Amino acid sequence: MVPVSYYLILSGILFACGVTGFLIKRNIITIFMSIELMLNGVNLSFVAFAAEWKALSGQVFVFFVMVVAAAEAAVGLAIIIAVYRTRETLNVDQVNLLKL
Amino acid sequence: MTPNLHLWLIPVLALIGAAINGLFGKRFSRQTVVAVALLFSGAAFAFALWVASQFSSLTTPHIETLATWIRAGEFRADFAFYLDQLSLVMLLVVTGVGFLIHIYSVGYMWEEGGFYRFFAYLNLFMFFMLTLVLASNYLLMFIGWEGVGLASYLLIGFWFTKDSAAAAGKKAFIVNRIGDFGFLIALFLMIQHFGSLDFAQVARGASPALPGGEALLTTIGLLLMVGAAGKSAQIPLYVWLPDAMEGPTPVSALIHAATMVTAGVYMVSRSHVIFEHAPGAMMVVAIIGTLTALFAATIGMCQTDIKKVLAYSTVSQLGYMFIACGVGAFSAGIFHLMTHAFFKGLLFLAAGSVIHAVGGEQDMRKMGGLRTKIPWTFWTMTAGTFAIAGFPPLAGFFSKDAILFKAFTSTYGSWIYWAIGVFTAFLTSFYMFRQWFSTFFGEYRGDDRADFHGHGEHGHGGIHESPAVMLVPLVILALLSVCGGWIGSERFDKFLAPAFHASEFTPVVQHGAMGMGPDTVVPATPVLPTGRRDVEVSETLLTGISVAAALLGFLLAGQLYYRRRDLPGKIARALGGFYETVLHKYYVDKIYAAVFVKPLIEGSTKLLWHGIDRDVIDASIDNSADGAREVSDAVRHMQSGNIRSYAGWVAAGAALVILYMVWVGTR
């Protein structure tokens, strides 16, 4: 049996990769993927704990997260396409109309 | 059932005049302004005369309540008007002399700017003064009291572009505020101990049987005297009155000679019950009056400005009135108040006419020989001068004689008051005739160019008599100054008696209360405070001495300022330092400036302004504003609009939370 801490470390690494990608990448698609990476990092810790404590609620959470992520991906990609159509760029630094 | 006289109309008439001229006068022609001002002040005078004609059918005091003003618990103050012999005399003096001075002002102020403003203020003054004398309680009186102070301030500073006039107005107002403070505390004490400010109720309540008794009444009396000293220019608060001469001359006549400055005498007389139960306060009143009379008269001797001489003379004469009040001879004080209103009003108006004639010059050294050039002014001023000097049978003789007689013989009196009073009468006579001789006799010493390039308030050339509109009031006042005393102090005393002895009381008899030596031993049997002491003195002798003093002053002034004009300079040089001191008004203004004004200004500037206002209050506001701006400046950069930097902050925040939890968990 793999100890739970291994899973958690992997989960942390995945999450940190996501955060880093989010912070340093300018392309919206990459940022989007980084968000997915963070979500999956969290999902991993959920299932790890669920297996550890023999509790189903962690698994259920993961399903929820996946559903929400799917919905988010649908909406997010739609937004990205809309942004690309109007701005003709996927660089977030150039999409700053809301800034004062 | 006493008839309703609608007394409130008298002050309100003047107020309407003030309101019309003050609000719309700017668009009126001069004629309209004059018509409004004279109509309403004349109507007030006519109404006052009508009230006087109805007076004999009234039961006094006649009180008319208009409306309730303040009701708080037990305390109650009304808009109520009070008419008795005392307020009737004041009413007639104020409206009568006031109306004459209104007429005179038409001529005197005709060419001045702000013509409508002048008459609006003058009517406003009449309103407040009439409120003061007709009020039926101290609170309403205080409204009038403050109001006349305001009107006085406005009129002294009438030529407000002149720095000295603006400063004089401020000085008058501030010095008066010091006195008002005492008055106000006296009112608070009355509310506390008598539960009312009504004249009648205060008179009923003021008895030595109260807790605190005589000490309380003495305190109230002294505080009232502080108020009176401020308004009536007595030591130590007299300093504003000479400066008040910066105002137009009719204002000096009306406010600073005939009416407003006598408000203190009226107030003390109105509070006679309190004073009669407080011999200590009475003595203070008499001493202040005596000192002021003497002190101001000596300063008056050295003044060269024609109006300043009259100003110090007013202070001195007010001192006489306070001597009368202080020895319990209130009716003699009011008698002198009335005759003084006539002759001092006259003297000021005549002085104004002289100033008018010589093109704005006020320095007597540059006058002289005006006797034949302005005969009407000369003759009226002569009447006023002889009246104030106390020559029989002119008005001033009767009233001054009554005061001096009472000062000697009253139970509260003393030969010291009398002696100083007579000496002051001599000084009065001297400085008035000094003015008379320097102005009207000898050679004209003025600058000839003044004839062609008039400066100051009047800019027409040539020495000329004033217009009839100014001479008529002069003549009327001159007649009053001559005949005003013929009523006689006895008859006047009898007339006023109901106002002064209406309250029943048993006088406090104290041996040696005056602390003035064996003279003051009071008979063991209770006497009225205005009763006679047990002194053997002939009234004729006392009268003879005061007339002799007046005559001596006349002769001396004639010798020095008519026959031997070189002598005054020599005498002044011989007196040296003393003359200098008197010439500089005993340096009182300088002492006040050094002792009170300068520390106040320095303290206010360094401690209150720089120390507290700027360094504490302003600094705390400024610093918190600066702090907020600096913090915002620093924090503002977080709101970059850059998504990744927001995310960075979120991540950093999350990292901080995790670190904290790790720290908490491992502790």
Side-chain angles (χ1 to χ4, degrees):
Chain A
M1 176 99 178
V2 184
V4 73
S5 59
Y6 284 33
Y7 292 108
L8 286 183
I9 289 166
L10 180 59
S11 155
I13 290 170
L14 278 175
F15 190 86
C17 285
V19 169
T20 316
F22 189 93
L23 290 181
I24 64 174
K25 285 299 180 184
R26 293 203 176 90
N27 190 303
I28 301 180
I29 303 284
T30 321
I31 289 171
F32 208 70
M33 282 156 63
S34 306
I35 294 171
E36 295 298 321
L37 206 54
M38 283 190 275
L39 286 173
N40 284 323
V42 174
N43 281 350
L44 183 60
S45 57
F46 269 129
V47 289
F49 278 118
E52 172 76 10
W53 301 111
K54 311 277 187 262
L56 276 177
S57 53
Q59 316 265 11
V60 175
F61 261 118
V62 171
F63 279 118
F64 271 102
V65 171
M66 285 163 95
V67 169
V68 170
E72 180 230 335
V75 175
L77 285 170
I79 292 174
I80 288 169
I81 288 167
V83 167
Y84 185 75
R85 277 187 183 155
T86 53
R87 317 279 305 177
E88 297 198 338
T89 176
L90 288 179
N91 188 337
V92 280
D93 287 351
Q94 288 170 18
V95 187
N96 55 1
L97 265 185
L98 281 180
K99 187 183 173 185
L100 273 175
Chain B
M1 176 81 193
T2 49
N4 192 341
L5 296 177
H6 294 288
L7 289 173
W8 58 275
L9 265 173
I10 305 176
V12 167
L13 278 171
L15 180 64
I16 295 173
I20 294 178
N21 268 343
L23 296 175
F24 313 112
K26 203 167 185 175
R27 270 170 253 143
F28 290 170
S29 66
R30 275 163 199 253
Q31 284 79 2
T32 320
V33 170
V34 166
V36 169
L38 290 189
L39 178 70
F40 285 99
S41 58
F45 180 43
F47 204 109
L49 283 178
W50 179 76
V51 165
S53 73
Q54 301 292 306
F55 190 74
S56 57
S57 67
L58 297 175
T59 49
T60 54
H62 175 76
I63 299 172
E64 285 181 8
T65 306
L66 199 61
T68 303
W69 175 15
I70 297 171
R71 194 179 311 175
E74 303 267 299
F75 178 76
R76 176 191 166 125
D78 290 336
F79 286 114
F81 297 93
Y82 186 96
L83 187 70
D84 64 356
Q85 288 79 0
L86 177 57
S87 34
L88 183 70
V89 170
M90 291 300 289
L91 180 65
L92 289 174
V93 167
V94 171
T95 52
V97 176
F99 181 55
L100 288 176
I101 292 174
H102 270 75
I103 296 175
Y104 175 94
S105 307
V106 174
Y108 192 84
M109 300 299 288
W110 191 257
E111 285 162 26
E112 296 296 330
F115 191 68
Y116 77 96
R117 200 161 52 88
F118 181 81
F119 280 98
Y121 291 164
L122 220 51
N123 274 4
L124 185 72
F125 167 76
M126 294 281 280
F127 163 67
F128 282 121
M129 191 68 204
L130 290 167
T131 309
L132 197 163
V133 298
L134 284 175
S136 132
N137 55 57
Y138 282 100
L139 204 58
L140 194 57
M141 187 192 203
F142 191 67
I143 297 286
W145 184 272
E146 291 295 300
V148 291
L150 166 72
S152 156
Y153 164 77
L154 291 171
L155 285 165
I156 294 170
F158 181 73
W159 288 307
F160 54 81
T161 49
K162 208 163 78 176
D163 272 351
S164 58
K170 255 191 305 189
K171 185 171 176 183
F173 199 77
I174 292 169
V175 174
N176 263 298
R177 291 303 307 163
I178 298 170
D180 296 346
F181 184 65
F183 190 11
L184 207 53
I185 294 176
L187 297 194
F188 293 155
L189 281 175
M190 284 183 202
I191 296 176
Q192 189 191 357
H193 293 276
F194 308 144
S196 172
L197 289 175
D198 219 56
F199 291 147
Q201 286 194 41
V202 168
R204 258 198 301 280
S207 99
L210 274 172
E214 201 186 310
L216 170 70
L217 293 174
T218 307
T219 314
I220 294 178
L222 290 176
L223 287 167
L224 287 176
M225 185 57 204
V226 172
K231 192 61 82 197
S232 292
Q234 296 296 294
I235 288 174
L237 298 178
Y238 73 92
V239 288
W240 65 270
L241 188 57
D243 285 21
M245 296 302 126
E246 289 289 343
T249 307
V251 170
S252 312
L254 177 61
I255 300 185
H256 306 119
T259 54
M260 185 192 84
V261 287
T262 60
V265 181
Y266 169 75
M267 188 260 275
V268 170
S269 303
R270 184 53 89 198
S271 319
H272 66 98
V273 180
I274 292 172
F275 284 94
E276 277 159 359
H277 289 301
M282 290 278 267
M283 192 174 72
V284 171
V285 172
I287 290 173
I288 287 180
T290 315
L291 290 179
T292 309
L294 178 67
F295 193 73
T298 53
I299 300 177
M301 284 175 17
C302 297
Q303 294 296 308
T304 53
D305 183 316
I306 188 166
K307 283 181 74 182
K308 286 274 167 75
V309 173
L310 292 176
Y312 281 105
S313 159
T314 305
V315 175
S316 172
Q317 298 301 311
L318 288 165
Y320 271 113
M321 296 176 210
F322 279 103
I323 297 176
C325 293
V327 299
F330 296 103
S331 66
I334 297 296
F335 189 34
H336 195 56
L337 187 161
M338 184 182 82
T339 57
H340 177 256
F342 297 151
F343 60 67
K344 190 53 71 60
L346 167 65
L347 285 168
F348 264 114
L349 295 187
S353 182
V354 170
I355 295 166
H356 189 88
V358 296
E361 182 57 66
Q362 299 196 5
D363 193 333
M364 295 191 302
R365 288 170 300 188
K366 295 185 182 162
M367 295 176 185
L370 299 176
R371 186 175 69 245
T372 50
K373 291 175 180 155
I374 43 174
W376 284 93
T377 307
F378 167 68
W379 283 110
T380 49
M381 192 144 186
T382 304
T385 308
F386 275 88
I388 192 177
F391 278 89
L394 284 83
F397 162 74
F398 291 99
S399 54
K400 200 180 284 183
D401 194 53
I403 290 176
L404 291 176
F405 179 66
K406 287 284 169 48
F408 196 97
T409 59
S410 155
T411 33
Y412 289 99
S414 153
W415 65 271
I416 297 177
Y417 302 148
W418 176 83
I420 297 179
V422 168
F423 182 62
T424 306
F426 158 71
L427 295 179
T428 308
S429 171
F430 174 76
Y431 66 67
M432 285 313 300
F433 283 111
R434 166 177 177 260
Q435 181 185 49
W436 190 63
F437 282 117
S438 335
T439 312
F440 293 110
F441 291 82
E443 292 295 305
Y444 181 61
R445 298 177 297 278
D447 183 1
D448 282 341
R449 281 176 307 165
D451 286 357
F452 307 104
H453 307 284
H455 45 266
E457 44 185 279
H458 294 286
H460 11 236
I463 296 171
H464 55 278
E465 185 60 287
S466 303
V469 70
M470 288 164 70
L471 293 178
V472 169
L474 282 180
V475 171
I476 296 174
L477 282 172
L479 289 178
L480 285 170
S481 304
V482 174
C483 313
W486 295 352
I487 307 167
S489 66
E490 302 274 310
R491 224 176 306 162
F492 198 77
D493 196 28
K494 212 170 283 168
F495 174 68
L496 280 182
F500 288 127
H501 300 295
S503 59
E504 285 179 26
F505 61 88
T506 44
V508 200
V509 179
Q510 280 197 329
H511 286 271
M514 300 294 102
M516 285 285 176
D519 268 4
T520 57
V521 174
V522 178
T525 48
V527 287
L528 285 174
T530 44
R532 287 191 60 158
R533 272 185 308 156
D534 216 6
V535 284
E536 289 297 322
V537 65
S538 144
E539 186 170 358
T540 326
L541 177 68
L542 292 182
T543 306
I545 294 174
S546 48
V547 173
L551 201 61
L552 192 64
F554 171 74
L555 293 176
L556 189 64
Q559 187 68 27
L560 292 183
Y561 289 94
Y562 184 49
R563 301 231 182 99
R564 299 281 311 276
R565 291 200 58 86
D566 55 319
L567 273 181
K570 281 184 195 157
I571 295 172
R573 271 191 296 283
L575 284 172
F578 180 67
Y579 175 76
E580 280 294 306
T581 313
V582 178
L583 186 65
H584 291 96
K585 307 165 215 163
Y586 296 99
Y587 302 102
V588 169
D589 274 330
K590 289 203 174 105
I591 293 169
Y592 280 5
V595 176
F596 298 110
V597 180
K598 197 159 166 264
L600 204 63
I601 290 177
E602 297 267 301
S604 308
T605 310
K606 292 204 173 123
L607 182 70
L608 296 177
W609 172 19
H610 290 167
I612 294 181
D613 191 52
R614 197 183 61 189
D615 292 353
V616 177
I617 299 175
D618 281 5
S620 65
I621 306 272
D622 288 351
N623 287 344
S624 55
D626 284 348
R629 194 176 53 229
E630 273 161 29
V631 171
S632 323
D633 262 352
V635 175
R636 171 167 82 85
H637 296 295
M638 292 165 69
Q639 305 279 332
S640 60
N642 186 334
I643 295 172
R644 287 176 306 116
S645 87
Y646 291 155
W649 286 115
V650 171
L656 272 179
V657 171
I658 290 168
L659 275 178
Y660 173 73
M661 292 178 77
V662 168
W663 178 67
V664 170
T666 56
R667 206 157 55 129

